[in-house]
Amino acid sequence: MIYDIIIIGGGPAGLTAGLYGSRARMKTLIIEKGDAGGQIATTFEVDNYPGSMEKCTGPVLAQRMKDQALSFGTEFVKEEIKKIEKKNEIFYLETDKNKYEAKAVIVATGSLSRDIGCKGEKEFRGMGVSYCATCDGFFFQGLTVVVVGGGDAAIDEGIFLTKFAKKVIIVHRRNELRAAKSLQEKARANPKIEFILDTVVEEIKGNGVVSTVTLKNVKTGELKDISADGVFVFIGYSPNSALVKEFVKTDEIGFIIGDEKMQTLTPGLFVAGDVRRKMLRQVVTAVADGAIAAVSAEAYIDHLSE
Ligand code: NAP
């Protein structure tokens, strides 16, 4: 049995592509290796997605998106794609469990959190070093944590962590934050948050669990040890594009280049969401990509059968 559209990735972009594909009566399957929702599944509050006010958490929004897609007939499997081939206009996808065929593929694989790359980061991963406040914040009740980064994620998750930690120290490499001004104001008004600017993490130390973080002032070169029980890293993301690299053109970082129809270099292979090269990576742009990719895939499939 051949699917019309197979979507790789079940974040907001993939789920929206599923919704639009199924509503167009395309036989649509989403293949996702983890749980649905992508990055928003581990995001505290999504207050900049129109309509999602009043403490709408990421996991709630993700579940609603999934339910909506399923209600229109999108199929969803939790499997990991290992191989993709294209022969005679058909895409052949092999997962860890099954083989699938599709007329069009939408790549919505998102991106992965970036590492600091400092000494001790790998060693203490899961022992105080975390990349997900929603997952691990609870373990830092009454403790001190360092948050690394100056973007929306770092500030948003830093605010979230004040629910548990007694002190949140945000360490950012420049003297200006990148985050939205409203988030910055909220963080600065929070008495539990402290900022250390122009500074990077040089080393994470401890005895079994994190106890000390060595900071380096990038202007003076001065090194300083501070006591901390945890380090939360939010310094951006790297695109998950390796799987399809032979089918697409990417930029120098690996973000996939798509045109305004989300079409990539390979006819029938579309891209959507955070894995695409674009200027704004938000839920609102991911869902827009997903909708466009699905409509473009439908038009492509209609054209195939002409
Ligand atoms: P981001 O906007 O790319 O910010 C990454 C931050 O990490 C920047 O401040 C950057 O510093 C810093 N950084 C990068 N590499 C570093 C390194 N090697 N060492 C130290 N610091 C480093 O990423 P993000 O905050 O994860 O957000 C990603 C996207 O998701 C954005 O579009 C964001 O708006 C969106 N998002 C939105 C929300 C929300 O609105 N609630 C929440 C989360 C994410 P520089 O500033 O010096 O480059």
Side-chain angles (χ1 to χ4, degrees), residues 144-148 167-172 194-197 199-206 209-217 222-232:
T144 297
V145 297
V146 165
V147 166
V148 187
K167 191 167 165 192
V168 173
I169 304 167
I170 298 181
V171 173
H172 178 44
E194 187 185 302
F195 288 92
I196 302 184
L197 302 178
T199 297
V200 293
V201 172
E202 187 77 358
E203 187 176 352
I204 299 167
K205 298 187 274 204
V209 292
V210 171
S211 64
T212 307
V213 178
T214 305
L215 301 178
K216 180 180 174 185
N217 183 303
E222 186 197 341
L223 294 173
K224 184 170 94 177
D225 276 356
I226 60 166
S227 298
D229 307 289
V231 179
F232 284 83

Side-chain angles (χ1 to χ4, degrees), residues 48 150-153 156 172-174 178 235-237 281-282:
N48 57 357
D152 285 338
D156 198 23
H172 178 44
R173 64 180 176 183
R174 288 185 297 134
R178 180 183 290 276
I235 57 169
Y237 297 88
R281 293 193 175 82
Q282 298 273 307

Side-chain angles (χ1 to χ4, degrees), residues 15-299:
L15 292 171
T16 308
L19 170 66
Y20 274 70
S22 304
R23 276 190 91 235
R25 296 285 176 258
M26 299 268 117
K27 190 162 178 49
T28 305
L29 169 72
I30 297 176
I31 302 178
E32 160 65 59
K33 69 176 173 189
D35 294 321
Q39 274 172 43
I40 59 162
T42 56
T43 298
F44 166 44
E45 260 179 45
V46 185
D47 61 3
N48 57 357
Y49 183 63
S52 75
M53 291 160 70
E54 305 283 320
K55 309 249 175 280
C56 178
T57 64
V60 167
L61 185 60
Q63 190 58 47
R64 282 189 196 151
M65 287 183 182
K66 182 177 176 188
D67 291 345
Q68 197 173 358
L70 295 184
S71 76
F72 280 99
T74 302
E75 294 172 42
F76 192 100
V77 293
K78 197 167 167 177
E79 293 172 24
E80 182 169 0
I81 306 228
K82 298 288 182 194
K83 204 164 124 197
I84 303 176
E85 281 180 329
K86 187 184 181 194
K87 274 184 245 155
N88 304 327
E89 314 285 11
I90 299 295
F91 290 92
Y92 296 86
L93 290 84
E94 221 176 294
T95 71
D96 46 344
K97 297 190 185 113
N98 285 303
K99 289 181 177 172
Y100 298 96
E101 294 173 19
K103 295 175 190 163
V105 167
I106 297 173
V107 182
T109 42
S111 47
L112 258 187
S113 35
R114 221 181 264 151
D115 292 348
I116 309 174
C118 71
K119 224 172 136 194
E121 183 181 19
K122 268 205 188 110
E123 187 187 340
F124 290 105
R125 198 178 179 132
M127 304 307 287
V129 173
S130 170
Y131 303 81
C132 175
T134 316
C135 319
D136 302 324
F138 180 78
F139 303 112
F140 294 86
Q141 309 266 2
L143 302 177
T144 297
V145 297
V146 165
V147 166
V148 187
D152 285 338
I155 307 306
D156 198 23
E157 303 301 328
I159 295 168
F160 172 67
L161 285 166
T162 61
K163 281 176 175 282
F164 314 102
K166 69 167 186 237
K167 191 167 165 192
V168 173
I169 304 167
I170 298 181
V171 173
H172 178 44
R173 64 180 176 183
R174 288 185 297 134
N175 68 353
E176 227 176 82
L177 300 173
R178 180 183 290 276
K181 292 283 180 291
S182 59
L183 273 177
Q184 293 190 32
E185 284 162 17
K186 205 167 156 189
R188 289 191 198 285
N190 190 317
K192 285 187 171 181
I193 296 182
E194 187 185 302
F195 288 92
I196 302 184
L197 302 178
D198 285 328
T199 297
V200 293
V201 172
E202 187 77 358
E203 187 176 352
I204 299 167
K205 298 187 274 204
N207 188 5
V209 292
V210 171
S211 64
T212 307
V213 178
T214 305
L215 301 178
K216 180 180 174 185
N217 183 303
V218 292
K219 291 208 165 135
T220 63
E222 186 197 341
L223 294 173
K224 184 170 94 177
D225 276 356
I226 60 166
S227 298
D229 307 289
V231 179
F232 284 83
V233 183
F234 301 108
I235 57 169
Y237 297 88
S238 314
N240 292 322
S241 56
L243 186 69
V244 292
K245 66 176 186 303
E246 65 197 88
F247 296 102
V248 299
K249 196 168 168 226
T250 66
D251 66 8
E252 64 287 355
I253 305 172
F255 288 104
I256 298 172
I257 296 171
D259 67 12
E260 63 176 1
K261 293 180 176 166
M262 306 295 145
Q263 173 68 64
T264 66
L265 196 62
T266 301
L269 191 93
F270 300 85
V271 62
D274 281 6
V275 73
R276 184 168 83 86
R277 184 183 69 171
K278 56 178 170 177
M279 58 115 18
L280 183 64
R281 293 193 175 82
Q282 298 273 307
V283 182
V284 76
T285 61
V287 299
D289 283 6
I292 295 167
V295 171
S296 301
E298 183 195 356

